Amino acid sequence: DAGITQSPRHKVTETGTPVTLRCHQTENHRYMYWYRQDPGHGLRLIHYSYGVKDTDKGEVSDGYSVSRSKTEDFLLTLESATSSQTSVYFCAISEWEGFAYEQYFGPGTRLTVT
Amino acid sequence: SQKIEQNSEALNIQEGKTATLTCNYTNYSPAYLQWYRQDPGRGPVFLLLIRENEKEKRKERLKVTFDTTLKQSLFHITASQPADSATYLCALGGAGNQFYFGTGTSLTVIP
């Protein structure tokens, strides 16, 4: 998984509780992403980062926040978890390859909100 | 907003045959298109990239075509093997560093 780890790998939480997922990379790539994957929707971008403390919203950012205080770490926080946020969350990294970006994905975190 | 469609959710083929997967898109002009493989319980893995000015790209048993007029990419796996069974995703990339993914096609290669 290209030097990308995600923690935790599985989590069950209750509606209304805050949850933080962590992504850690050892590749020193500039760009980091958080996606969620749901049946019928494919991978959808939540937030991404283009440098330390530089982040931007993706397609489905409502209810999520992110932080990146170090190149290697990108945190995703569900401020108040809802059942609709039950999903598999993937972190990805990329770097400019001269003409395009190739993305490398972590192993995923399966989150269940009860 | 952009829309990406991949052909039928599931594709079953006999071992040794060529698998052809389709990715169609609308409302977008990608600078390049990528294909990923995803196995159950794992993250997607990058396979191939083709740029808008390229018609065809090959890597071992894999071949990708890109027709910007039809807004379509075809992904071929020749001499398919059971180990090729997985879900294959296409992704559009453009200016900036965001990607838009299709929902994927599940391929099963039958021995």
Side-chain angles (χ1 to χ4, degrees), chain A residues 33-38 41-48 56-66 76-79 82 84-85 87-90, chain B residues 2 98-100:
Chain A
Y33 309 78
W34 277 107
Y35 290 90
R36 60 178 290 174
Q37 188 172 38
D38 305 287
H41 289 280
L43 282 160
R44 291 181 293 174
L45 182 66
I46 305 171
H47 282 279
Y48 68 98
D56 207 347
K57 296 179 180 179
E59 181 184 1
V60 290
S61 60
D62 287 348
Y64 302 95
S65 62
V66 291
L76 176 71
T77 297
L78 288 65
E79 293 137 11
T82 67
S84 65
Q85 293 176 312
S87 187
V88 179
Y89 291 86
F90 287 101
Chain B
Q2 70 291 332
Q98 291 195 46
F99 298 80
Y100 302 99

Side-chain angles (χ1 to χ4, degrees), chain A residues 99-100, chain B residues 31-33 49-55 57 66 68:
Chain A
F99 56 86
Chain B
Y32 54 92
L33 189 147
L49 176 151
I50 185 165
R51 291 188 271 186
E52 60 178 339
N53 61 348
E54 297 176 318
K55 296 294 185 186
K57 204 77 167 287
F66 192 10
T68 55

Side-chain angles (χ1 to χ4, degrees), chain B residues 89-101:
Chain B
L89 310 173
C90 70
L92 310 182
N97 57 0
Q98 291 195 46
F99 298 80
Y100 302 99
F101 283 84

